[in-house]
Amino acid sequence: MPLPPLVEPVAALSEAERARTARHRSLAGVGDLGQRRLAAAHVAVVGAGGIGSPVVLALAAAGVGVLTVIDDDVVEISNLQRQVIHRREDSGEPKVASAARAAADLSDTLVHGVRERLSPSNARRLLEGADLVIDGSDTFDTREAVAAACEELGVPLVWGTVQAFDAQVTVFWSSPPAGEAPVRLADLYPPGSVGEVPTCEEVGVLGALCLQVGSLLSMEAVKLITGIGEPLLGRVLVIDGLRARQREVALRRTSVRPAAVQPVPQVTPESVDLARATIVDVREDHEVSTGMIAGARHVPLGRLLADPRALAGAEDLVIVCEVGMRARRAAEALRAAGIPASVLAGGMRAWNAAEGAHGGRGVRA
């Protein structure tokens, strides 16, 4: 059911905004009043990357009055496959500068760009004053800091994640309107249950799916601001991009604690015995073309996950990727199949650093 609108409307729209938002104002349930609520709203967007980019574009186009965009990063060419707010000529420039430029080209939305990394120590300060927060960050530590600040401030948190071809979208709110049960990040991911989350660099991300999720997050924000529709409070939308399937999972307050997880053993570059170990590199072809540990076997992660038992019988298995996330996933699959395996801590980056510091033991092209 609809929730009460988040904000009181501005008194009136400018003639230019009335003309620009005419199709919104024709919508039943939005109208001039809803559009004036959007103009009064202040939304904080954490991250100007794959998710934050379409969010900023959509909300600026929608006529949201103020956007605070928080991101400490600069634009890189590899961002542009999914971070559609940036341009090639922005390479090396702060992402918040691209966000402000794009919003100014679309509407009268005022963008406050904050080039600062959000953390538990500054989250409340950065988010205070926003009517609603959208989390488009890319690490779970940041997501926990955002969620904790939103719980403390009592503002709704519109939340989404994208990894490879899959995504989740929901709304958390510690102090929802009367009659609605509070729902928090800990109800979806109890503390300690997540572990290290693979990065986009390690497992990839489909750019088009980022646009889809950013659009959904923006829609949730519009619904909450204007008081229309049924927000995803207490519901998680799960998206399977490859199969074009979406399903909904109920989310309720819970006190269930995560089961203890047996950690995957790790070895350091200095402790690896190249004469005894079977080293398996699970990176992709284009990554191993720059070099592999001498004697290592190349088994891309997807092939290993499809048939982990193909490595049965190998002794002293050490799995390596670029920084360790994919290697851990591979080792977990091997161990689940009854095949002992450990992970090279820090991956090839740590190996190469150790080689440079102590003299090479072998990296073959």
Side-chain angles (χ1 to χ4, degrees), residues 8-257:
E8 292 300 314
V10 298
L13 300 171
S14 68
E15 286 304 312
E17 276 297 277
R18 283 178 59 83
R20 199 187 64 81
T21 61
R23 300 301 180 267
H24 265 184
R25 292 185 301 106
S26 298
L27 284 170
V30 179
D32 185 72
L33 178 61
Q35 191 60 48
R36 288 189 286 122
R37 292 190 191 280
L38 288 169
H42 177 185
V43 177
V45 182
V46 182
I51 294 175
S53 288
V55 166
V56 171
L57 292 173
L59 294 186
V64 168
V66 179
L67 293 175
T68 294
V69 183
I70 303 163
D71 196 304
D72 70 330
D73 206 358
V74 298
V75 178
E76 299 178 7
I77 291 298
S78 62
N79 298 151
L80 304 185
Q81 156 261 5
R82 63 198 178 280
Q83 300 181 17
V84 295
I85 206 167
H86 313 300
R87 301 293 178 263
R88 284 180 288 187
E89 56 267 27
D90 295 323
S91 181
E93 296 298 317
K95 291 182 179 180
V96 293
S98 299
R101 180 212 66 232
D105 288 345
L106 284 169
S107 70
D108 292 338
T109 296
L110 177 62
V111 175
H112 295 303
V114 179
R115 193 179 176 190
E116 193 170 345
R117 188 166 190 83
L118 188 144
S119 68
S121 63
N122 65 15
R124 178 178 176 125
R125 171 176 60 82
L126 295 180
L127 301 177
E128 199 161 20
D131 301 304
L132 176 149
V133 175
I134 298 179
D135 191 350
S137 59
D138 56 4
T139 71
F140 204 80
D141 287 345
T142 303
R143 291 178 176 277
E144 288 185 318
V146 172
C150 288
E151 289 175 22
E152 188 177 348
L153 294 167
V155 298
L157 171 59
V158 181
W159 189 93
T161 63
V162 179
Q163 189 174 96
F165 303 102
D166 304 303
Q168 296 177 342
V169 176
T170 191
V171 174
F172 302 116
W173 202 347
S174 62
S175 303
E180 297 293 331
V183 184
R184 300 173 173 86
L185 175 63
D187 298 320
L188 181 60
Y189 291 108
S193 65
V194 175
E196 292 187 80
V197 180
T199 65
C200 293
E201 181 182 0
E202 294 178 307
V203 300
V205 60
L206 185 65
L209 185 58
C210 292
L211 301 185
Q212 180 181 355
V213 170
S215 178
L216 288 167
L217 296 177
S218 303
M219 184 64 191
E220 292 303 302
V222 169
K223 290 191 294 184
L224 288 163
I225 291 166
T226 59
I228 63 171
E230 298 183 15
L232 281 168
L233 183 65
R235 299 179 291 141
V236 181
L237 187 65
V238 180
I239 303 168
D240 181 339
L242 282 182
R243 295 171 179 81
R245 292 175 182 165
Q246 297 185 14
R247 60 188 177 93
E248 188 179 292
V249 179
L251 178 62
R252 296 181 177 86
R253 189 171 183 176
T254 178
S255 58
V256 176
R257 295 183 178 180

Side-chain angles (χ1 to χ4, degrees), residues 228-315:
I228 63 171
E230 298 183 15
L232 281 168
L233 183 65
R235 299 179 291 141
V236 181
L237 187 65
V238 180
I239 303 168
D240 181 339
L242 282 182
R243 295 171 179 81
R245 292 175 182 165
Q246 297 185 14
R247 60 188 177 93
E248 188 179 292
V249 179
L251 178 62
R252 296 181 177 86
R253 189 171 183 176
T254 178
S255 58
V256 176
R257 295 183 178 180
V261 177
Q262 192 69 24
V264 174
Q266 296 192 19
V267 296
T268 65
E270 293 79 8
S271 66
V272 175
D273 184 346
L274 290 178
R276 294 183 63 250
T278 302
I279 298 176
V280 177
D281 193 323
V282 297
R283 294 177 298 162
E284 299 302 315
D285 291 344
H286 70 278
E287 295 175 284
V288 301
S289 66
T290 61
M292 292 172 58
I293 297 173
R297 294 173 59 179
H298 179 214
V299 184
L301 179 61
R303 193 196 315 164
L304 186 150
L305 294 177
D307 185 16
R309 294 189 181 278
L311 290 173
E315 295 185 4

